[in-house]
Amino acid sequence: MLLIPCPWCGPRPENEFHYAGEAHIARPPDPAAVDDAAWADFLYMRTNPRGTHTERWRHQYGCGRFFDCVRDTVTDRIAGTSRPRS
Amino acid sequence: MTTAPKFSFLNLLRHATGGAWSPQWRSPEPKSRYDAIIIGAGGHGLATAWYLARDHGLNNIAVLDKGWLGGGNTGRNTTIIRSNYLQDESAAIYEHALKLWEGLSRDLNYNVMYSPRGVLMLAHNDQDVRVFRRHVHANRLQGIDNEWLTPEQAKAFCPPLNIGRDLRYPVLGAALQRRGGVARHDAVAWGYARAASARGVDIIQNCAVTAINRGPDGAVTGVETTKGPIATGKIGVVAAGHTSVVMAMAGLRMPLESYPLQALVSEPVKPVMPCVVMSNTVHAYISQSDKGELVIGAGTDAYTSYSQAGGLHIATHTLEAICELFPSFRRLRMLRNWGGIVDVTPDRSPVIGRTPVPGLYVNCGWGTGGFKATPGSGHIFAATIARDDPHPIAAPFALDRFRTGRLIDEAAAAAVSH
C-alpha cells in the first residue's frame, strides 16, 4: 500500500485516495470543433509510461480534493505531489 | 530442423530405458532478416508464430522476448478457460479459442492438460442475478453452453461452497459453463514454442527490442535489439502489459493502461475443489491445480504500475472473500504470491489488427483475462498478419473502434473489477 502525501493533509494510506489517471489531459474546449481521431485521443489514448508518470489523485476519504502526483511506475516511488495548476 | 522427437508411447519407452531427452526447442542467434517478427514470447506470441508457420507457410520468422519465454503473464495467470461472454463479438472470439483448446494437445503433440471441469460464476445480489441470467440467455442464442444454477445446485456441483444465508454476500445462484475449465499455463507456452521451433521459427530469448525502424514511407523496416539490428517488413507486437512501451517506439499512443494483477497459491492438499469458482462481487477466483495447490486470483491495484507485485491489501481482500465462501480453507497457508502486468482497455476488450503504421500489427488489451483466448488469439492474429487483412473474428476488435465509437463493452463479463 502506498503512503501518499496529500498536499493539504500530509501523508495518508493509499486506501483514502481515488486514482484519477494520467494528469493534464485537457478536454477540447469546443468538442464539436475536433474530429473523431482527436476526440478518441482525448477520451482513450494514454501515455502509460514505464517510468516517471504524472498523474492525478483525489483524497476521496479525506479533504476530497484533487492533486497532481509524480510517481515512478516501476518502483512505485512517489517523487512528489502538488496542488493542481488552476 | 526438428530438435525434439515426437512424443509417443514408443518414445517414452525408449527414453525410460536410457537416453536423455533433447531440448524441446532451438535457441538460435538472430538472423539479419526475417519475413516477420513477433515481439513477445508469451502464449499469444508463440501461438501466433506457430499458426503463421503451420497455416500460412511463413517459416522464416522470429519471436523475440526481453526475458524468457512464458515468463510474463502466461506464467502468472490463474489458467481459467471459458467463453460465456456477453457480446456476440467476444463470444465469437472466446468460443473460437475454446474449440481450439479442445484439440490443442493433439495439434501440438504436447499435453497442455486442458481440463474442462466447469466454471461456476457466483451471483451475490439482485444485479448479479439479472446480469448472469442475461449472459445465460445471450450465450444460448450464440450456441454457447452456459446454464443457471440455484444455490443448492451450485453446492451440489461444488461441495466445499458455503451457501449459508448468513453470509455478508450470500450465494443467490450461479452461472455454470461446463466446457470451461483450466489448462497448464507453462505447458501452453512450451507446447507452442516446441511446435513452432520444429517448423523453423526462431525463438530468441533475452533479446529486448529497443527501437522500431521505419522507412521513408513510414512502413516498418526492422527492429533494433540488444542482440543487434534485425530487418523485417512485418512486426506483430504481442507484449501484453508492455505494449504501450513498444508501440511508443513507433510513435503510437495506445488506449491502454497497465495494472498489476495478483495471484496466489496455497500449500498443496488432496483434491478438494472439483471446478473453477469465480465471484466478481466479492472478488474471489479459485481452482485447484493438479499438484494440489489452490490457485487464487486477486484483483488489480487501483493505479497503473509495472512493478509485478501489487499491494498486500488487494490479496487480503480476496482471501477474506475466499474464507467466507469456503470456510474449510481457512487454515490453509499461502505459499507464494506474485503479480503480472495486465494491459486494460477502456471497454475491457482486446485490440487485434493493423495499426496506422504500415507493417506494424498489434494484439493487446487482453486485460485480466487473456489466457483463455491464447489459441484463438494466435490463430486470428496470424491470419491478420499473413493476409494484411483482419480475420473476420478479429475485425470488430480493430484499434480504429476507439475512433468510430463501436466499442465492445465487456466490463461485466471480464469479471475482474477494475
Side-chain angles (χ1 to χ4, degrees):
Chain A
M1 189 176 301
L2 302 179
L3 189 62
I4 301 174
C6 171
W8 285 279
C9 311
R12 298 292 182 92
E14 174 196 326
N15 53 10
E16 287 188 16
F17 296 85
H18 178 76
Y19 181 65
E22 187 174 342
H24 311 315
I25 292 177
R27 182 185 167 91
D30 181 6
V34 300
D35 63 10
D36 289 350
W39 190 248
D41 200 55
F42 156 67
L43 276 184
Y44 301 123
M45 303 302 164
R46 296 294 179 265
T47 312
N48 196 24
R50 183 185 162 89
T52 304
H53 190 222
T54 308
E55 59 199 18
R56 194 150 283 187
W57 288 79
R58 180 171 178 243
H59 195 185
Q60 187 159 5
Y61 304 106
C63 63
R65 283 185 275 201
F66 280 93
F67 59 92
D68 292 339
C69 173
V70 176
R71 179 176 57 91
D72 187 300
T73 59
V74 179
T75 61
D76 286 340
R77 191 178 296 277
I78 292 173
T81 56
S82 61
R83 299 179 185 195
R85 302 185 299 225
S86 58
Chain B
M1 201 57 104
T2 307
T3 49
K6 193 172 158 63
F7 287 118
S8 65
F9 181 68
L10 207 65
N11 254 326
L12 276 178
L13 209 62
R14 196 171 293 144
H15 285 90
T17 54
W21 289 95
S22 50
Q24 298 294 304
W25 51 81
R26 297 169 295 113
S27 296
E29 286 302 306
K31 296 183 212 163
S32 60
R33 180 174 183 87
Y34 290 98
D35 294 338
I37 285 177
I38 305 298
I39 301 175
H44 291 241
L46 293 165
T48 304
W50 186 64
Y51 291 112
L52 276 172
R54 190 194 70 168
D55 297 348
H56 305 282
L58 272 171
N59 300 90
N60 182 33
I61 58 180
V63 185
L64 312 183
D65 200 289
K66 71 184 169 81
W68 64 96
L69 71 86
N73 295 348
T74 300
R76 294 165 188 268
N77 66 85
T78 52
T79 80
I80 298 171
I81 296 168
R82 63 186 177 90
S83 66
N84 51 352
Y85 279 63
L86 177 63
Q87 311 291 349
D88 289 346
E89 297 88 345
S90 329
I93 203 168
Y94 291 107
E95 181 63 14
H96 183 57
L98 188 54
K99 292 215 168 82
L100 288 170
W101 277 116
E102 287 167 346
L104 193 60
S105 294
R106 216 172 309 119
D107 283 352
L108 296 178
N109 179 234
Y110 200 92
N111 187 3
V112 300
M113 298 164 76
Y114 165 59
S115 162
R117 58 185 67 176
V119 174
L120 203 58
M121 298 174 77
L122 304 180
H124 299 277
N125 54 42
D126 289 344
Q127 171 65 5
D128 281 357
V129 172
R130 277 194 297 271
V131 167
F132 287 166
R133 296 191 82 135
R134 184 182 172 203
H135 280 216
V136 168
H137 294 315
N139 290 149
R140 195 174 54 211
L141 293 173
Q142 291 151 350
I144 291 170
D145 76 302
N146 194 13
E147 59 195 276
W148 179 254
L149 302 187
T150 63
E152 291 71 27
Q153 288 170 323
K155 171 94 179 158
F157 191 75
C158 182
L161 181 65
N162 179 6
I163 56 166
R165 302 295 295 178
D166 56 340
L167 296 186
R168 173 66 183 84
Y169 292 101
V171 177
L172 301 183
L176 168 65
Q177 184 173 30
R178 292 183 191 271
R179 290 158 65 231
V182 293
R184 170 95 166 91
H185 51 358
D186 292 329
V188 175
W190 299 336
Y192 274 119
R194 173 176 174 273
S197 177
R199 285 186 178 265
V201 174
D202 283 357
I203 300 162
I204 300 157
Q205 306 179 68
N206 300 310
C207 176
V209 171
T210 54
I212 292 175
N213 298 330
R214 296 164 68 183
D217 59 347
V220 301
T221 57
V223 292
E224 300 290 330
T225 76
T226 48
K227 294 192 175 186
I230 308 174
T232 187
K234 288 188 174 190
I235 299 173
V237 178
V238 199
H242 287 72
T243 302
S244 294
V245 179
V246 177
M247 297 300 276
M249 295 173 191
L252 294 177
R253 265 157 68 88
M254 297 295 290
L256 296 172
E257 290 188 299
S258 296
Y259 294 90
L261 177 68
Q262 290 181 74
L264 313 83
V265 291
S266 75
E267 56 190 327
V269 289
K270 286 186 175 179
V272 60
M273 272 295 286
C275 60
V276 180
V277 171
M278 307 173 39
S279 167
N280 318 359
T281 301
V282 300
H283 218 285
Y285 301 77
I286 185 163
S287 63
Q288 189 170 19
S289 74
D290 292 333
K291 243 190 305 185
E293 303 154 325
L294 292 179
V295 182
I296 294 168
T300 57
D301 276 299
Y303 51 88
T304 63
S305 175
Y306 289 80
S307 68
Q308 286 193 330
L312 193 58
H313 61 293
I314 304 284
T316 306
H317 176 72
T318 287
L319 291 177
E320 284 168 352
I322 298 274
C323 288
E324 184 153 91
L325 285 173
F326 299 97
S328 55
F329 298 166
R330 279 183 184 164
R331 293 176 65 191
L332 277 178
R333 281 163 295 190
M334 292 297 133
L335 285 194
R336 287 178 285 126
N337 176 18
W338 63 90
I341 305 304
V342 299
D343 44 331
V344 176
T345 58
D347 60 359
R348 310 300 185 240
S349 288
V351 175
I352 311 163
R354 291 182 293 199
T355 69
V357 176
L360 184 66
Y361 305 84
V362 71
N363 182 354
C364 65
W366 291 95
T368 55
F371 177 75
K372 66 173 80 66
T374 304
S377 156
H379 185 254
I380 61 177
F381 191 47
T384 302
I385 292 175
R387 301 177 192 142
D388 188 36
D389 189 37
H391 185 283
I393 293 177
F397 296 93
L399 182 58
D400 197 44
R401 75 173 185 271
F402 295 98
R403 185 185 61 80
T404 62
R406 295 188 68 87
L407 303 189
I408 303 165
D409 183 4
E410 288 290 1
V416 173
S417 54
H418 32 218

